[in-house]
Amino acid sequence: MTSARSRLGSFVARMADTAPTPAAVLFGSPVFGALMGLVAGIDLYDRNQFLTPQWPAVLAMFFLGGALGFAPALWLSRLAFGRRRRIARTMGATLVAALATHLALAALFALEYRFYYSHWHAPAFTIVWGFQFAFTTLSAAYQFTVISFSIYGFPGAAIFLGFGLWFGRSSH
């Protein structure tokens, strides 16, 4: 019993030790969010020179997704790859940054999708509503996943690799 408690205690201590500092989150989140907004801006300009009337909302969603995904990406990268060799830290952090950012953006897209379709759904917290909620959220996340590959493109891959290189160089 004490062995399990000591392992749990050491795991909790490791999780706390790998948490990003408030300064890293305070400065890194807006920078990473701005870079994700830049990725969306490049894609919007390339597609139609910002002729879409919703372009400010798209840029805001990508900014928020990048800003919300930065801290979990940094924390999970430190937790999973902080003690590895430099190349493993770099590649692992690149993958974690891409996934964390994508999941944050997909969650925001699913919230927006859900808000739009909620007008036609059953009353809240009924069984039918539960199915509608689950499948609307899943379909929004799937739709965003398919769309996002063309949006991220080369600039997004370069930014995620830049995050990985920064993490691989700075982590101990």
Side-chain angles (χ1 to χ4, degrees):
M1 186 66 139
T2 58
S3 174
R5 282 188 184 164
S6 67
R7 276 189 259 144
L8 180 63
S10 66
F11 180 71
V12 170
R14 184 159 182 257
M15 287 178 62
D17 289 342
T18 57
T21 64
V25 174
L26 185 65
F27 295 113
S29 292
V31 169
F32 199 70
L35 290 171
M36 287 296 107
L38 178 66
V39 166
I42 290 169
D43 182 69
L44 285 171
Y45 181 78
D46 187 42
R47 287 179 194 263
N48 61 10
Q49 286 76 35
F50 290 99
L51 294 176
T52 304
Q54 295 85 8
W55 69 266
V58 172
L59 294 181
M61 291 255 306
F62 271 77
F63 171 81
L64 287 173
L68 292 173
F70 178 77
L74 187 56
W75 178 67
L76 288 171
S77 295
R78 286 181 179 174
L79 186 65
F81 302 104
R83 297 180 181 169
R84 308 244 182 209
R85 300 172 102 187
R86 184 175 180 176
I87 189 72
R89 287 193 314 264
T90 300
M91 292 297 106
T94 301
L95 181 63
V96 168
L99 288 174
T101 303
H102 179 74
L103 288 174
L105 275 163
L108 291 173
F109 188 77
L111 284 173
E112 190 273 328
Y113 206 80
R114 172 70 184 124
F115 178 73
Y116 177 78
Y117 282 106
S118 67
H119 302 289
W120 297 284
H121 283 190
F125 306 112
T126 61
I127 293 174
V128 173
W129 175 86
F131 280 111
Q132 290 170 334
F133 179 81
F135 286 107
T136 301
T137 303
L138 289 172
S139 66
Y142 171 75
Q143 182 181 358
F144 179 75
T145 299
V146 170
I147 293 169
S148 69
F149 288 121
S150 67
I151 295 173
Y152 290 135
F154 179 75
I159 290 169
F160 296 137
L161 182 60
F163 176 89
L165 289 169
W166 168 76
F167 179 79
R169 188 177 57 88
S170 65
S171 186
H172 305 313

